[in-house]
Amino acid sequence: MTGPDGEWYLSELANGIERSRILSIATQVKKMKDEGKQVTAFTVGDFSPEQFQVPLSFTEALASVVHQNQTNYPPAAGLPELRESLSNWMIYKYGLNVGSEGIIVGSGARPVLFASFKLFLEPGEGLAHGVPAWNNHYYVHLNSAKDIAIEGDSDSRFLPTADGVKERISEIRVLILNSPLNPTGTCFTADELGAICDVVLEENHKRRKTGQKPVMLVYDQVYSTMTVKGIEHVHPVQVRPDMFEFTITLDAISKSLTATGLRLGWMALPPKLAAPVIALIGHMGSWPARPIQQAAAETYSDPKKLELYFEDLDSRISDRMEILFTSLTQMRDSGLPVDFIPPQGGIYLSTRFNLFSALGVNTNEEIRLWLLKEAGIAVIPFQAFGLEDESGWFRISIGAVSVDEVSDAMVRLENALQSIH
Ligand SMILES: Cc1ncc(COP(=O)(O)O)c(C=O)c1O
């Protein structure tokens, strides 16, 4: 039986949902690999378990809880012992004290991210986000929000600036910031973040007098434990304590413990705002499995031991980044048309392949396809993160590659670039 297209049956919201561009590139790469082609996948923000393992104590605790038959519903906000561990961790690491009642867990950062937008935004209200940035443009659509894109550029290490936020502040209801930033691997300094907080605080001071609802800051710090030596992750409440009542912090074991498939994230918010989030997470049923929660409670109850795991993880990320950094610097210094922004955190590197004139092309997509075919390297153009400029900037992710793969890929890249130089 034939009938109208699927679109006819669906809501406007459903018809408007964009598929992830990153995942469609990843599918293309997988197909090439299955056909036996040599491709290094610098694409997904996932951690391959062959390269990066979750702490052994975590998987042991997980197995033991499963064997104890702990299979019933957990409480919607999370197990009390987990909320307690995470609350103590946030105090220890970032000086942020929301108490255990201000911690709400979900199955990864995404459900708590979704919940934090739902908490504040009415349809048509302004959701401001940096560009380039991971996935915010999809959330603007899901919330029927007004899209307020604040573009960064290479001078700001692609981070949004206080001036950029100030220009649009009167239209903003929710501002989302991410540091270390996906896709650029760059971090706010205390001064940069402080200047943005000052813009928010000044606006909120004005709004309080006129009875207008405040600007809320959603601070996505899922890569906060991954910074290069000499770079400190900063939190809004550390730099401006008055931001406490306006800040929702998001974090997840997806990145911190390289446990993307285990699905546990959390939100830290002023406790007086917690009740509707707990109900929303409960209605969506998006709480993490009870055994995962139990294992995370144990892991996060020992911050000192956790720091040792993070140190080791940082050094394995840095092994890969060092090769990229050294190889790209050599290529750039020898006159090849590549550039990059020194990595500061996370698992990403902003890299510029300025091949427009060498290849006689106009788009990042054409450069991407050339890199894939001629150098066997798969990268993601900044367009996938909302930056539409055809300027040759791409994200390199090291989450799924070995040290040897990175070295081999850099040799292939240099050869390919030499061939068109
Ligand atoms: C900045 C940022 N926030 C949130 C997430 C989502 O994390 P999760 O997998 O825990 O939902 C990601 C995933 O790549 C991310 O890069």
Side-chain angles (χ1 to χ4, degrees):
M1 201 172 80
T2 57
D5 285 346
E7 223 173 85
W8 187 78
Y9 298 88
L10 297 168
S11 67
E12 252 178 65
L13 183 100
N15 279 322
I17 292 176
E18 242 191 283
R19 311 292 179 268
S20 162
R21 296 190 220 172
I22 305 171
L23 293 185
S24 59
I25 294 175
T27 308
Q28 181 188 30
V29 171
K30 183 171 179 307
K31 187 162 171 276
M32 286 177 72
K33 282 187 150 179
D34 290 348
E35 290 164 1
K37 305 221 167 80
Q38 189 177 31
V39 187
T40 304
F42 289 120
T43 40
V44 286
D46 199 358
F47 290 95
S48 107
E50 288 91 57
Q51 304 301 330
F52 295 97
Q53 291 81 34
V54 304
L56 186 61
S57 55
F58 187 98
T59 42
E60 283 174 351
L62 180 57
S64 122
V65 181
V66 171
H67 282 121
Q68 289 158 27
N69 258 347
Q70 294 205 25
T71 54
N72 59 322
Y73 284 132
L79 294 176
E81 55 271 44
L82 173 60
R83 296 173 78 194
E84 182 74 26
S85 287
L86 292 174
S87 162
N88 290 337
W89 167 255
M90 300 301 270
I91 296 169
Y92 162 86
K93 188 75 179 166
Y94 311 108
L96 178 69
N97 187 357
V98 294
S100 55
E101 63 292 9
I103 301 281
I104 298 163
V105 302
S107 53
R110 273 165 252 230
V112 283
L113 183 62
F114 185 74
S116 44
F117 293 138
K118 282 280 167 236
L119 257 191
F120 305 109
L121 282 168
E122 307 292 354
E125 284 188 331
L127 171 49
H129 55 91
V131 162
W134 172 86
N135 276 16
N136 293 322
H137 43 305
Y138 303 138
Y139 287 102
V140 167
H141 173 75
L142 287 177
N143 286 283
S144 308
K146 173 176 171 187
D147 189 9
I148 303 180
I150 299 171
E151 276 192 23
D153 58 22
S154 53
D155 290 338
S156 71
R157 306 184 312 289
F158 289 108
L159 291 157
T161 63
D163 285 345
V165 175
K166 194 167 187 165
E167 253 175 53
R168 307 290 303 268
I169 192 70
S170 63
E171 303 160 73
I172 300 175
R173 176 72 166 102
V174 175
L175 168 65
I176 176 159
L177 297 176
N178 167 220
S179 181
L181 179 63
N182 178 5
T184 62
T186 55
C187 303
F188 286 117
T189 63
D191 284 351
E192 289 164 344
L193 185 60
I196 295 178
C197 292
D198 286 341
V199 174
V200 171
L201 288 169
E202 196 191 323
E203 175 71 13
N204 285 350
H205 186 67
K206 272 194 238 155
R207 288 191 191 183
R208 183 155 291 172
K209 284 193 191 150
T210 57
Q212 248 187 302
K213 292 197 174 177
V215 177
M216 298 301 294
L217 173 62
V218 176
Y219 196 62
D220 178 343
Q221 54 165 33
V222 293
Y223 302 96
S224 56
T225 54
M226 299 171 182
T227 50
V228 306
K229 270 207 175 67
I231 302 279
E232 279 290 318
H233 172 76
V234 283
H235 185 277
V237 174
Q238 275 170 328
V239 295
R240 294 293 183 274
D242 288 352
M243 283 300 293
F244 181 85
E245 61 176 311
F246 306 117
T247 305
I248 315 296
T249 308
L250 305 179
D251 216 322
I253 68 164
S254 314
K255 308 294 169 169
S256 65
L257 304 184
T258 71
T260 47
L262 295 180
R263 312 310 301 143
L264 189 148
W266 67 94
M267 174 196 275
L269 84 173
K272 65 182 176 191
L273 307 180
V277 190
I278 297 171
L280 184 57
I281 295 276
H283 297 325
M284 292 195 295
S286 57
W287 48 78
R290 181 183 276 273
I292 301 283
Q293 294 198 31
Q294 194 75 54
E298 285 176 33
T299 305
Y300 273 86
S301 68
D302 190 346
K304 296 259 157 50
K305 191 164 152 208
L306 204 46
E307 293 280 27
L308 294 177
Y309 172 81
F310 293 142
E311 257 174 51
D312 177 59
L313 180 57
D314 278 352
S315 88
R316 285 180 299 135
I317 293 171
S318 144
D319 290 344
R320 289 155 177 82
M321 282 296 179
E322 279 290 318
I323 301 170
L324 291 174
F325 186 85
T326 312
S327 313
L328 292 169
T329 303
Q330 269 167 13
M331 290 182 223
R332 184 184 63 190
D333 293 352
S334 69
L336 292 172
V338 293
D339 203 357
F340 61 91
I341 306 218
Q344 298 183 302
I347 52 170
Y348 308 111
L349 184 71
S350 308
T351 315
R352 188 172 192 204
F353 297 103
N354 191 358
L355 309 184
F356 298 101
S357 61
L359 297 178
V361 300
N362 299 313
T363 64
N364 282 5
E365 179 60 9
E366 288 163 295
I367 293 175
R368 181 184 80 78
L369 290 171
W370 183 86
L371 290 166
L372 193 57
K373 194 157 162 267
E374 302 302 327
I377 70 165
V379 291
I380 307 280
F382 273 11
Q383 272 89 353
F385 307 99
L387 191 73
E388 294 304 332
D389 292 358
E390 300 292 356
S391 52
W393 284 97
F394 291 82
R395 180 186 86 172
I396 285 185
S397 166
I398 53 86
V401 289
S402 69
V403 168
D404 288 346
E405 279 175 289
V406 181
S407 299
D408 293 349
M410 288 301 103
V411 173
R412 291 199 306 275
L413 175 65
E414 182 160 10
N415 291 339
L417 292 173
Q418 293 285 8
S419 73
I420 52 163
H421 194 48

PDB file of all heavy atoms in Angstrom, residues 45 107-111 113 134 178 180 182 220 222-223 252 254-255 260 263-265 348, ligand 1:
ATOM      1  N   GLY A  45      33.852  11.843  18.539  1.00  0.00           N
ATOM      2  CA  GLY A  45      34.275  12.256  19.881  1.00  0.00           C
ATOM      3  C   GLY A  45      34.134  11.102  20.857  1.00  0.00           C
ATOM      4  O   GLY A  45      33.962  11.309  22.055  1.00  0.00           O
ATOM      5  N   SER A 107      21.175   9.667  32.055  1.00  0.00           N
ATOM      6  CA  SER A 107      21.937   8.674  31.275  1.00  0.00           C
ATOM      7  C   SER A 107      22.840   9.386  30.272  1.00  0.00           C
ATOM      8  O   SER A 107      22.572   9.405  29.075  1.00  0.00           O
ATOM      9  CB  SER A 107      20.985   7.699  30.592  1.00  0.00           C
ATOM     10  OG  SER A 107      20.027   8.422  29.863  1.00  0.00           O
ATOM     11  N   GLY A 108      23.878  10.013  30.786  1.00  0.00           N
ATOM     12  CA  GLY A 108      24.816  10.787  29.975  1.00  0.00           C
ATOM     13  C   GLY A 108      24.554  12.272  30.158  1.00  0.00           C
ATOM     14  O   GLY A 108      23.598  12.672  30.847  1.00  0.00           O
ATOM     15  N   ALA A 109      25.409  13.088  29.514  1.00  0.00           N
ATOM     16  CA  ALA A 109      25.224  14.540  29.642  1.00  0.00           C
ATOM     17  C   ALA A 109      23.985  14.997  28.877  1.00  0.00           C
ATOM     18  O   ALA A 109      23.348  15.994  29.231  1.00  0.00           O
ATOM     19  CB  ALA A 109      26.454  15.276  29.123  1.00  0.00           C
ATOM     20  N   ARG A 110      23.626  14.267  27.813  1.00  0.00           N
ATOM     21  CA  ARG A 110      22.531  14.744  26.951  1.00  0.00           C
ATOM     22  C   ARG A 110      21.188  14.912  27.655  1.00  0.00           C
ATOM     23  O   ARG A 110      20.566  15.979  27.506  1.00  0.00           O
ATOM     24  CB  ARG A 110      22.383  13.844  25.729  1.00  0.00           C
ATOM     25  CG  ARG A 110      23.290  14.264  24.596  1.00  0.00           C
ATOM     26  CD  ARG A 110      23.397  13.169  23.562  1.00  0.00           C
ATOM     27  NE  ARG A 110      24.717  12.598  23.670  1.00  0.00           N
ATOM     28  CZ  ARG A 110      25.544  12.414  22.644  1.00  0.00           C
ATOM     29  NH1 ARG A 110      25.165  12.720  21.431  1.00  0.00           N
ATOM     30  NH2 ARG A 110      26.727  11.908  22.833  1.00  0.00           N
ATOM     31  N   PRO A 111      20.693  13.916  28.420  1.00  0.00           N
ATOM     32  CA  PRO A 111      19.394  14.144  29.071  1.00  0.00           C
ATOM     33  C   PRO A 111      19.409  15.319  30.045  1.00  0.00           C
ATOM     34  O   PRO A 111      18.432  16.063  30.131  1.00  0.00           O
ATOM     35  CB  PRO A 111      19.124  12.832  29.817  1.00  0.00           C
ATOM     36  CG  PRO A 111      20.030  11.845  29.228  1.00  0.00           C
ATOM     37  CD  PRO A 111      21.208  12.577  28.655  1.00  0.00           C
ATOM     38  N   LEU A 113      21.354  17.898  29.800  1.00  0.00           N
ATOM     39  CA  LEU A 113      21.454  19.091  28.946  1.00  0.00           C
ATOM     40  C   LEU A 113      20.054  19.462  28.437  1.00  0.00           C
ATOM     41  O   LEU A 113      19.618  20.616  28.521  1.00  0.00           O
ATOM     42  CB  LEU A 113      22.380  18.755  27.777  1.00  0.00           C
ATOM     43  CG  LEU A 113      22.732  19.813  26.752  1.00  0.00           C
ATOM     44  CD1 LEU A 113      23.466  20.954  27.429  1.00  0.00           C
ATOM     45  CD2 LEU A 113      23.629  19.226  25.666  1.00  0.00           C
ATOM     46  N   TRP A 134      29.572  22.049  19.793  1.00  0.00           N
ATOM     47  CA  TRP A 134      28.955  20.742  19.605  1.00  0.00           C
ATOM     48  C   TRP A 134      27.441  20.797  19.814  1.00  0.00           C
ATOM     49  O   TRP A 134      26.998  21.179  20.897  1.00  0.00           O
ATOM     50  CB  TRP A 134      29.583  19.746  20.591  1.00  0.00           C
ATOM     51  CG  TRP A 134      28.928  18.417  20.650  1.00  0.00           C
ATOM     52  CD1 TRP A 134      29.171  17.348  19.848  1.00  0.00           C
ATOM     53  CD2 TRP A 134      27.906  18.003  21.575  1.00  0.00           C
ATOM     54  NE1 TRP A 134      28.367  16.298  20.210  1.00  0.00           N
ATOM     55  CE2 TRP A 134      27.589  16.671  21.260  1.00  0.00           C
ATOM     56  CE3 TRP A 134      27.238  18.626  22.626  1.00  0.00           C
ATOM     57  CZ2 TRP A 134      26.632  15.943  21.960  1.00  0.00           C
ATOM     58  CZ3 TRP A 134      26.277  17.911  23.314  1.00  0.00           C
ATOM     59  CH2 TRP A 134      25.988  16.582  22.977  1.00  0.00           C
ATOM     60  N   ASN A 178      30.844  26.027  26.783  1.00  0.00           N
ATOM     61  CA  ASN A 178      31.512  24.728  26.917  1.00  0.00           C
ATOM     62  C   ASN A 178      33.023  24.958  26.961  1.00  0.00           C
ATOM     63  O   ASN A 178      33.558  25.640  26.101  1.00  0.00           O
ATOM     64  CB  ASN A 178      31.103  23.857  25.702  1.00  0.00           C
ATOM     65  CG  ASN A 178      31.930  22.603  25.516  1.00  0.00           C
ATOM     66  OD1 ASN A 178      32.265  22.247  24.393  1.00  0.00           O
ATOM     67  ND2 ASN A 178      32.261  21.933  26.589  1.00  0.00           N
ATOM     68  N   PRO A 180      36.684  22.659  28.435  1.00  0.00           N
ATOM     69  CA  PRO A 180      37.318  22.727  27.127  1.00  0.00           C
ATOM     70  C   PRO A 180      36.278  22.504  26.016  1.00  0.00           C
ATOM     71  O   PRO A 180      35.367  21.695  26.179  1.00  0.00           O
ATOM     72  CB  PRO A 180      38.324  21.578  27.149  1.00  0.00           C
ATOM     73  CG  PRO A 180      38.597  21.331  28.602  1.00  0.00           C
ATOM     74  CD  PRO A 180      37.339  21.652  29.313  1.00  0.00           C
ATOM     75  N   ASN A 182      34.476  21.486  22.645  1.00  0.00           N
ATOM     76  CA  ASN A 182      34.338  20.585  21.503  1.00  0.00           C
ATOM     77  C   ASN A 182      33.718  21.441  20.402  1.00  0.00           C
ATOM     78  O   ASN A 182      32.629  21.955  20.607  1.00  0.00           O
ATOM     79  CB  ASN A 182      33.399  19.423  21.879  1.00  0.00           C
ATOM     80  CG  ASN A 182      33.164  18.479  20.719  1.00  0.00           C
ATOM     81  OD1 ASN A 182      33.764  18.613  19.664  1.00  0.00           O
ATOM     82  ND2 ASN A 182      32.270  17.515  20.928  1.00  0.00           N
ATOM     83  N   ASP A 220      28.812  23.613  30.307  1.00  0.00           N
ATOM     84  CA  ASP A 220      29.078  22.218  29.940  1.00  0.00           C
ATOM     85  C   ASP A 220      30.582  21.979  30.059  1.00  0.00           C
ATOM     86  O   ASP A 220      31.369  22.460  29.257  1.00  0.00           O
ATOM     87  CB  ASP A 220      28.587  22.020  28.499  1.00  0.00           C
ATOM     88  CG  ASP A 220      28.846  20.619  27.961  1.00  0.00           C
ATOM     89  OD1 ASP A 220      29.669  19.889  28.545  1.00  0.00           O
ATOM     90  OD2 ASP A 220      28.244  20.267  26.936  1.00  0.00           O
ATOM     91  N   VAL A 222      32.151  18.790  30.290  1.00  0.00           N
ATOM     92  CA  VAL A 222      32.380  17.335  30.256  1.00  0.00           C
ATOM     93  C   VAL A 222      33.845  16.944  30.032  1.00  0.00           C
ATOM     94  O   VAL A 222      34.225  15.824  30.317  1.00  0.00           O
ATOM     95  CB  VAL A 222      31.472  16.606  29.234  1.00  0.00           C
ATOM     96  CG1 VAL A 222      30.020  16.652  29.630  1.00  0.00           C
ATOM     97  CG2 VAL A 222      31.668  17.119  27.827  1.00  0.00           C
ATOM     98  N   TYR A 223      34.655  17.896  29.527  1.00  0.00           N
ATOM     99  CA  TYR A 223      36.086  17.574  29.347  1.00  0.00           C
ATOM    100  C   TYR A 223      36.950  18.243  30.421  1.00  0.00           C
ATOM    101  O   TYR A 223      38.158  18.396  30.239  1.00  0.00           O
ATOM    102  CB  TYR A 223      36.562  18.036  27.959  1.00  0.00           C
ATOM    103  CG  TYR A 223      35.793  17.418  26.809  1.00  0.00           C
ATOM    104  CD1 TYR A 223      34.733  18.087  26.224  1.00  0.00           C
ATOM    105  CD2 TYR A 223      36.129  16.156  26.325  1.00  0.00           C
ATOM    106  CE1 TYR A 223      34.011  17.522  25.178  1.00  0.00           C
ATOM    107  CE2 TYR A 223      35.418  15.584  25.276  1.00  0.00           C
ATOM    108  CZ  TYR A 223      34.364  16.271  24.710  1.00  0.00           C
ATOM    109  OH  TYR A 223      33.662  15.705  23.679  1.00  0.00           O
ATOM    110  N   ALA A 252      29.967  14.522  32.966  1.00  0.00           N
ATOM    111  CA  ALA A 252      29.589  13.139  32.634  1.00  0.00           C
ATOM    112  C   ALA A 252      30.800  12.221  32.703  1.00  0.00           C
ATOM    113  O   ALA A 252      31.921  12.655  32.430  1.00  0.00           O
ATOM    114  CB  ALA A 252      29.011  13.083  31.215  1.00  0.00           C
ATOM    115  N   SER A 254      31.037   9.967  30.603  1.00  0.00           N
ATOM    116  CA  SER A 254      31.254   9.636  29.186  1.00  0.00           C
ATOM    117  C   SER A 254      32.648  10.064  28.774  1.00  0.00           C
ATOM    118  O   SER A 254      33.354   9.335  28.084  1.00  0.00           O
ATOM    119  CB  SER A 254      30.246  10.367  28.308  1.00  0.00           C
ATOM    120  OG  SER A 254      28.967  10.261  28.846  1.00  0.00           O
ATOM    121  N   LYS A 255      33.029  11.270  29.182  1.00  0.00           N
ATOM    122  CA  LYS A 255      34.347  11.769  28.800  1.00  0.00           C
ATOM    123  C   LYS A 255      35.330  11.563  29.945  1.00  0.00           C
ATOM    124  O   LYS A 255      36.424  11.063  29.729  1.00  0.00           O
ATOM    125  CB  LYS A 255      34.266  13.248  28.416  1.00  0.00           C
ATOM    126  CG  LYS A 255      33.188  13.556  27.380  1.00  0.00           C
ATOM    127  CD  LYS A 255      33.445  12.926  26.015  1.00  0.00           C
ATOM    128  CE  LYS A 255      32.212  13.049  25.124  1.00  0.00           C
ATOM    129  NZ  LYS A 255      32.411  12.711  23.737  1.00  0.00           N
ATOM    130  N   THR A 260      31.926   6.393  27.288  1.00  0.00           N
ATOM    131  CA  THR A 260      30.822   6.952  26.490  1.00  0.00           C
ATOM    132  C   THR A 260      29.607   6.025  26.407  1.00  0.00           C
ATOM    133  O   THR A 260      28.481   6.498  26.329  1.00  0.00           O
ATOM    134  CB  THR A 260      31.306   7.288  25.060  1.00  0.00           C
ATOM    135  OG1 THR A 260      32.042   6.177  24.563  1.00  0.00           O
ATOM    136  CG2 THR A 260      32.169   8.530  25.030  1.00  0.00           C
ATOM    137  N   ARG A 263      26.852   5.551  29.888  1.00  0.00           N
ATOM    138  CA  ARG A 263      25.743   6.489  30.035  1.00  0.00           C
ATOM    139  C   ARG A 263      25.468   6.942  31.471  1.00  0.00           C
ATOM    140  O   ARG A 263      24.517   6.501  32.119  1.00  0.00           O
ATOM    141  CB  ARG A 263      24.436   5.909  29.424  1.00  0.00           C
ATOM    142  CG  ARG A 263      24.559   5.329  28.031  1.00  0.00           C
ATOM    143  CD  ARG A 263      25.241   6.245  27.033  1.00  0.00           C
ATOM    144  NE  ARG A 263      24.596   7.518  26.854  1.00  0.00           N
ATOM    145  CZ  ARG A 263      25.288   8.659  26.665  1.00  0.00           C
ATOM    146  NH1 ARG A 263      26.594   8.674  26.625  1.00  0.00           N
ATOM    147  NH2 ARG A 263      24.636   9.784  26.482  1.00  0.00           N
ATOM    148  N   LEU A 264      26.319   7.840  31.936  1.00  0.00           N
ATOM    149  CA  LEU A 264      26.021   8.537  33.187  1.00  0.00           C
ATOM    150  C   LEU A 264      26.560   9.960  33.114  1.00  0.00           C
ATOM    151  O   LEU A 264      27.740  10.171  32.839  1.00  0.00           O
ATOM    152  CB  LEU A 264      26.636   7.806  34.395  1.00  0.00           C
ATOM    153  CG  LEU A 264      26.195   8.343  35.773  1.00  0.00           C
ATOM    154  CD1 LEU A 264      26.144   7.237  36.801  1.00  0.00           C
ATOM    155  CD2 LEU A 264      27.075   9.474  36.301  1.00  0.00           C
ATOM    156  N   GLY A 265      25.644  10.906  33.287  1.00  0.00           N
ATOM    157  CA  GLY A 265      26.036  12.313  33.349  1.00  0.00           C
ATOM    158  C   GLY A 265      25.338  12.935  34.540  1.00  0.00           C
ATOM    159  O   GLY A 265      24.489  12.301  35.177  1.00  0.00           O
ATOM    160  N   TYR A 348      40.524  17.267  21.255  1.00  0.00           N
ATOM    161  CA  TYR A 348      40.363  17.845  19.919  1.00  0.00           C
ATOM    162  C   TYR A 348      41.456  18.852  19.593  1.00  0.00           C
ATOM    163  O   TYR A 348      42.015  19.495  20.486  1.00  0.00           O
ATOM    164  CB  TYR A 348      39.005  18.545  19.824  1.00  0.00           C
ATOM    165  CG  TYR A 348      37.865  17.648  20.243  1.00  0.00           C
ATOM    166  CD1 TYR A 348      37.160  17.887  21.412  1.00  0.00           C
ATOM    167  CD2 TYR A 348      37.541  16.529  19.475  1.00  0.00           C
ATOM    168  CE1 TYR A 348      36.126  17.039  21.809  1.00  0.00           C
ATOM    169  CE2 TYR A 348      36.510  15.684  19.869  1.00  0.00           C
ATOM    170  CZ  TYR A 348      35.815  15.944  21.036  1.00  0.00           C
ATOM    171  OH  TYR A 348      34.810  15.103  21.413  1.00  0.00           O
TER     172      TYR A 348
HETATM  173  C1  LIG B   1      30.681  19.235  24.830  1.00  0.00           C
HETATM  174  C2  LIG B   1      29.854  18.007  24.964  1.00  0.00           C
HETATM  175  N1  LIG B   1      28.810  18.009  25.808  1.00  0.00           N
HETATM  176  C3  LIG B   1      28.035  16.932  25.965  1.00  0.00           C
HETATM  177  C4  LIG B   1      28.284  15.773  25.259  1.00  0.00           C
HETATM  178  C5  LIG B   1      27.358  14.612  25.420  1.00  0.00           C
HETATM  179  O1  LIG B   1      27.859  13.678  26.312  1.00  0.00           O
HETATM  180  P1  LIG B   1      27.088  12.318  26.616  1.00  0.00           P
HETATM  181  O2  LIG B   1      27.667  11.301  25.701  1.00  0.00           O
HETATM  182  O3  LIG B   1      27.407  12.044  28.060  1.00  0.00           O
HETATM  183  O4  LIG B   1      25.638  12.501  26.376  1.00  0.00           O
HETATM  184  C6  LIG B   1      29.340  15.720  24.355  1.00  0.00           C
HETATM  185  C7  LIG B   1      29.581  14.514  23.564  1.00  0.00           C
HETATM  186  O5  LIG B   1      30.406  14.458  22.658  1.00  0.00           O
HETATM  187  C8  LIG B   1      30.162  16.863  24.214  1.00  0.00           C
HETATM  188  O6  LIG B   1      31.210  16.887  23.383  1.00  0.00           O
END
